[in-house]
Amino acid sequence: MKFYICRNRSEPKPFKIAITGAGPAGLTAAGYLACRGYEVHVYEKMPEGGGMVAFVIPEVRIPIKAIREGGKDLERLGVNFHFRTKVVYDSPREPGDEWAEHFVSLERLLNEFDVLLIATGAWRPRKLKVPGVYDALTLLHHIKMARMGYYPWDRIPDLDGKHAVIIGAGYTAVDVAIEAGLLGAEKVTMVYRRSLEHSYAKTEIRKLISKGLEFTSMASPVRIIGTERAHGVEFAGTKIVEGSVVTTDEHFVTDADIVAYAIGQLPTSPIREVVCANEEILKEAGIFFAGDVVAPRNIGTAMREGKAKAIEIEEWLLDKAPKRAFLIPVTAKLISSLTNGTC
């Protein structure tokens, strides 16, 4: 998997760039900037690079070997990787934090580097307020870690001969359906609150339907049935009213042994509530964002954005950085306003 390759690296430039997160956006930006002659350091809490592409997406879709080869290409370009290292300010815990052995403060990076690109992705699953279910991101992450030899298989729920019900119809839901089939699930049902046509993963879902996936549209979960473990899910029918999903009085129950919800993830920036910050103020302080930490992206879009943001960073460095003054006071003021909830 080629994140970014150039024939000849440019002459070294007197700027240092820190990138937090080694997913597609961060790695593509790192490759471009290294090719342009900048000193690039990538900080990643996991034991190797790739982000969700490496640690969540099923092997049958993207082989880990291809991702590792792409990482080696970047190392040959001179990119400096700091694995098992998490950048922190006031971050909550997210999946994968157990792999972090070193912690680097955001303030330290802002002191030591000319630019900080935050590309930490969206590892925090949205919580469905019903007990007895798995969030799809964590489930996929654990399965992939077991396949890569990082986790023992006894950490993975037994899907052999079971009925898996997946709530949601995005690419993460597709990945759960694929893994459930590979792990021996007898039946896989995907339930979506809109119609199949509303899903951006509809092409992949149709392929799965042709292979036996059961797809139920226009339904939203109400409760999990069962005490010690799930036995089924009660759903309410839905309809679209002026573009919004509303539930109806129609209810039905689907039996289930395993329930996984795939209803999206939340950004995991090292700066809490960073979504309320003014992007221009951040840019003045030398802080940029790319990838899922901004909004959900597919792999291709994240890589294109990584390159575009790297070009923007280079333009900023050549124009703004030599004239910049009082970086730390500006940044400290920004972070203070974020953490105090005043922005």
Side-chain angles (χ1 to χ4, degrees), residues 12-34:
K13 294 182 174 65
F15 296 111
K16 294 172 61 179
I17 299 161
I19 298 175
T20 67
L27 292 178
T28 303
Y32 176 88
L33 292 164

Side-chain angles (χ1 to χ4, degrees), residues 52-129:
M52 287 193 186
V53 180
F55 296 106
V56 173
I57 293 179
E59 183 79 4
V60 294
R61 285 224 290 138
I62 302 180
I64 188 63
K65 179 181 178 181
I67 302 166
R68 287 170 172 163
E69 288 174 351
K72 292 295 182 183
D73 288 337
L74 296 181
E75 287 180 353
R76 285 189 283 270
L77 283 175
V79 175
N80 303 279
F81 285 99
H82 305 270
F83 294 123
R84 298 179 184 267
T85 302
K86 183 175 180 177
V87 177
V88 296
Y89 186 78
D90 55 0
S91 308
R93 288 189 60 83
E94 297 116 18
D97 275 4
E98 65 268 26
W99 296 98
E101 296 176 350
H102 311 284
F103 297 87
V104 178
S105 71
L106 187 69
E107 296 93 329
R108 173 184 158 187
L109 295 188
L110 292 169
N111 273 297
E112 294 182 1
F113 292 88
D114 298 286
V115 168
L116 172 62
L117 174 62
I118 296 176
T120 44
W123 283 82
R124 198 178 314 146
R126 294 182 185 276
K127 296 297 184 181
L128 192 66
K129 295 181 180 180

Side-chain angles (χ1 to χ4, degrees), residues 292-305:
D292 284 357
V293 74
V294 180
R297 306 281 195 267
N298 60 36
I299 298 168
T301 302
M303 293 175 72
R304 288 191 293 272
E305 185 176 89

Side-chain angles (χ1 to χ4, degrees), residues 88-288:
V88 296
Y89 186 78
D90 55 0
S91 308
R93 288 189 60 83
E94 297 116 18
D97 275 4
E98 65 268 26
W99 296 98
E101 296 176 350
H102 311 284
F103 297 87
V104 178
S105 71
L106 187 69
E107 296 93 329
R108 173 184 158 187
L109 295 188
L110 292 169
N111 273 297
E112 294 182 1
F113 292 88
D114 298 286
V115 168
L116 172 62
L117 174 62
I118 296 176
T120 44
W123 283 82
R124 198 178 314 146
R126 294 182 185 276
K127 296 297 184 181
L128 192 66
K129 295 181 180 180
V130 288
V133 298
Y134 296 88
D135 76 82
L137 179 65
T138 302
L139 180 62
L140 286 169
H141 175 61
H142 285 186
I143 292 171
K144 190 65 179 287
M145 294 296 275
R147 293 197 186 283
M148 295 170 69
Y150 285 112
Y151 283 174
W153 278 100
D154 60 12
R155 291 188 63 168
I156 313 305
D158 180 16
L159 286 159
D160 190 34
K162 303 294 178 60
H163 180 195
V165 173
I166 304 164
I167 299 167
Y171 288 110
T172 301
V174 167
D175 288 342
V176 174
I178 290 172
E179 288 288 20
L182 292 172
L183 292 174
E186 181 178 346
K187 181 179 178 182
V188 180
T189 301
M190 188 179 293
V191 184
Y192 187 37
R193 64 196 183 107
R194 296 177 180 267
S195 71
L196 178 57
E197 289 305 312
H198 284 94
S199 169
Y200 51 80
K202 55 182 175 287
T203 301
E204 289 78 4
I205 292 172
R206 287 195 181 102
K207 292 177 183 177
L208 291 172
I209 291 172
S210 69
K211 296 177 181 178
L213 172 75
E214 294 192 5
F215 186 85
T216 301
S217 61
M218 309 305 294
S220 181
V222 175
R223 65 186 178 96
I224 300 297
I225 298 172
T227 53
E228 295 183 2
R229 69 175 184 84
H231 292 286
V233 185
E234 180 183 353
F235 290 94
T238 61
K239 61 182 180 180
I240 309 297
V241 178
E242 296 182 349
S244 298
V245 177
V246 297
T247 56
T248 69
D249 292 332
E250 177 191 1
H251 283 233
F252 64 93
V253 173
T254 297
D255 69 291
D257 299 302
I258 300 290
V259 180
Y261 59 91
I263 54 176
Q265 291 83 240
L266 299 171
T268 49
S269 168
I271 307 176
R272 179 173 56 86
E273 305 298 345
V274 77
V275 291
C276 73
N278 182 291
E279 189 173 353
E280 290 305 313
I281 296 176
L282 290 164
K283 192 182 297 184
E284 286 298 316
I287 303 172
F288 295 78

